[in-house]
């Protein structure tokens, strides 16, 4: 409850319509409130924090810097060229599918099928290559499969009105079943060496996978922050009914984000097949949970409309650094899973705390 502060009035002279003797304009003394010292001094300067500069992903950046600093001190191998190159290749694919997952999460949805779509696209691309299809058409077909399944997810959510969890959970089983049947659960080998160079090569010493992941993140950052479509995504995640009344094509936006998520999952499958030099039907198992975790750790809210592409990429990098550091320090992988789970709970807890504070303060 606001405090009542007594301020004694002071006399000031103002022009009134009351003349001396009752005719014509004149002067009249009326009280005016005295300004407090705070009001006289003007607005208080606000200290700029990391959150003002980096936004919601500032917490993830702090965690990432702390993890890198700790591993640098704990292991002499962490900052070596070979280790950083391997780390970049490991994180790149997670980052790509995490950015796609982010678009869905921003609309208050979820895509549980990205791991299975990744496995199907990668194995299908390998099958096309072994059958003699040229590299570029095979890649386009593999990415096209992921895009088509993403469109189906969007139609199930918008037209069939299925909850995103159920729709994408069903697609998870369908895509995984298709790849196991089409490959007879066998690894597809014999892909051309030129195809393997795509993921394992470098440009000026920088791994190709890292370049692709950086380009995808930059494009999605531009789309979300500098385009009307990006504003539509946040509007749908904030309140779909209000967005519809404001003229936002909610159905088309929803289908589009699932399509992009499927496209990036398909691209991740092609790159993983290139990196491994084979099509593995079980590839991508559990990737959907890792993508969701990366988004949450990077500052995205599962309730929609909060998050950024840079934050999702940062979350993927945090998970990759933790796993890489655990391998270097010979830490049990089970403990790393516990650490990542705790990190997810802490990130969601802070998000809920900030939401309650904003609501209580009226911000």
């Amino acid at each position: 409850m606001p405090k009542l502060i007594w301020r004694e009035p002071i006399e000031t002279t103002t022009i009134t319509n009351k003349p001396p003797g009752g005719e014509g304009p004149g002067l009249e003394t009326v009280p005016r409130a005295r300004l407090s010292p705070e009001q006289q001094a003007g607005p208080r300067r606000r200290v700029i924090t990391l959150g003002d500069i980096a936004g919601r992903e500032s917490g993830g950046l702090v965690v990432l810097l702390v993890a890198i600093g700790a591993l640098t001190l704990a292991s002499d191998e962490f900052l070596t060229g070979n280790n950083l190159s391997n780390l970049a290749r490991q994180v790149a694919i997670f980052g790509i599918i995490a950015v796609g997952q982010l678009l869905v999460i921003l609309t208050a949805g979820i895509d549980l099928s990205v791991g299975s779509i990744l496995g199907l696209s990668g194995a299908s691309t390998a099958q096309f290559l072994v059958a003699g299809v040229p590299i570029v058409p095979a890649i386009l077909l593999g990415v096209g499969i992921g895009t088509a399944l993403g469109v189906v997810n969007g139609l199930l959510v918008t037209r069939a009105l299925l909850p995103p969890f159920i729709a994408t959970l069903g697609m998870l089983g369908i895509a995984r079943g298709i790849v196991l049947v089409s490959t007879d659960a066998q690894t597809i080998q014999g892909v051309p060496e030129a195809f393997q160079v795509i993921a394992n090569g470098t440009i000026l010493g920088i791994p190709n996978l890292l370049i692709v992941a950086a380009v995808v993140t930059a494009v999605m950052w531009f789309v979300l922050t500098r385009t009307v479509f990006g504003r539509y995504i946040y509007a749908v995640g904030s309140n779909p009914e209000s967005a519809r009344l404001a003229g936002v094509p909610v159905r088309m936006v929803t289908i589009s984000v699932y399509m992009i998520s499927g496209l990036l999952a398909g691209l991740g499958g092609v790159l993983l097949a290139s990196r491994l030099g084979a099509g593995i039907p079980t590839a991508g198992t559990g990737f959907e949970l890792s993508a969701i975790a990366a988004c949450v750790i990077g500052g995205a809210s599962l309730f929609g409309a909060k998050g950024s592409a840079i934050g999702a990429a940062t979350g993927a990098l945090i998970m990759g650094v933790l796993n890489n550091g655990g391998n270097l320090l010979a830490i049990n992988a089970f403990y790393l899973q516990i650490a990542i789970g705790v990190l997810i709970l802490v990130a969601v807890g802070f998000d809920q705390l900030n939401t309650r504070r904003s609501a209580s303060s009226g911000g």
Side-chain angles (χ1 to χ4, degrees):
M1 179 177 180
K3 297 182 179 178
L4 299 178
I5 302 176
W6 172 259
R7 297 186 179 92
E8 295 184 359
I10 61 173
E11 293 185 352
T12 58
T13 301
T14 59
I15 299 175
T16 68
N17 292 326
K18 182 179 180 181
E23 296 179 1
L27 302 178
E28 181 181 359
T29 301
V30 296
R32 187 178 66 181
R34 187 189 305 271
L35 296 176
S36 65
E38 293 80 1
Q39 292 173 324
Q40 294 176 359
R44 183 177 300 177
R45 291 184 178 181
R46 185 172 177 271
V47 178
I48 297 178
T49 63
L50 180 61
D52 298 320
I53 300 174
R56 291 176 59 88
E57 59 267 23
S58 58
L61 291 174
V62 171
V63 173
L64 178 61
L65 293 175
V66 171
I68 291 175
L71 290 174
T72 301
L73 296 175
S75 174
D76 296 333
E77 299 180 1
F78 179 73
L79 291 181
T80 60
N82 289 334
N83 183 65
L84 292 179
S85 179
N86 291 331
L87 175 62
R89 290 187 173 93
Q90 293 170 3
V91 172
I93 296 175
F94 281 117
I96 290 171
I97 64 175
V99 171
Q101 183 75 249
L102 172 74
L103 298 183
V104 177
I105 290 178
L106 287 176
T107 61
I110 198 167
D111 190 352
L112 298 178
S113 65
V114 291
S116 297
I117 291 176
L118 180 146
L120 176 58
S121 296
S124 298
T125 302
Q127 286 180 313
F128 294 142
L129 291 170
V130 172
V133 178
I135 293 177
V136 174
I139 292 175
L140 293 177
L141 287 172
V143 175
I145 290 174
T147 305
L149 295 181
V151 172
V152 174
N153 280 334
L155 292 174
L156 290 174
V157 172
T158 58
R159 299 296 182 178
L161 301 180
L162 295 179
F165 183 92
I166 299 301
T168 57
L169 180 63
M171 183 59 69
L172 180 154
I174 293 172
R176 185 65 67 187
I178 291 175
V179 67
L180 291 174
V181 170
S182 62
T183 62
D184 197 23
Q186 301 295 319
T187 300
I188 308 301
Q189 297 179 341
V191 298
E193 293 186 3
F195 176 69
Q196 301 180 40
V197 173
I198 295 175
N200 295 309
T202 61
I203 298 177
L204 299 177
I206 303 175
N208 292 345
L209 278 179
L210 181 60
I211 295 175
V212 174
V215 170
V216 169
T217 302
V219 170
M220 289 299 106
W221 172 84
F222 180 83
V223 168
L224 291 175
T225 60
R226 296 293 186 269
T227 67
V228 175
F229 178 66
R231 296 190 185 98
Y232 283 174
I233 291 175
Y234 284 104
V236 172
S238 179
N239 191 318
E241 182 60 22
S242 297
R244 185 186 65 81
L245 295 175
V248 176
V250 176
R251 284 185 175 179
M252 185 59 63
V253 170
T254 304
I255 294 173
S256 298
V257 296
Y258 281 97
M259 179 189 71
I260 296 173
S261 178
L263 184 151
L264 293 180
L267 176 61
V270 171
L271 294 175
L272 183 61
S274 173
R275 179 169 178 258
L276 300 177
I280 301 178
T282 57
T285 302
F287 278 29
E288 58 279 345
L289 299 181
S290 297
I292 295 170
C295 294
V296 172
I297 293 173
S301 172
L302 294 178
F303 297 99
K306 295 179 181 179
S308 69
I310 296 177
T314 301
L317 189 55
I318 290 172
M319 297 178 62
V321 168
L322 291 178
N323 288 324
N324 180 261
N327 293 332
L328 293 177
L329 300 177
I331 298 176
N332 192 325
F334 299 142
Y335 291 118
L336 294 177
Q337 292 183 5
I338 295 174
I340 292 174
V342 171
L343 194 58
I344 294 171
L345 294 177
V346 170
V348 175
F350 272 115
D351 177 67
Q352 293 298 302
L353 179 62
N354 291 333
T355 301
R356 287 194 295 267
R357 284 181 176 177
S358 298
S360 62
S361 62

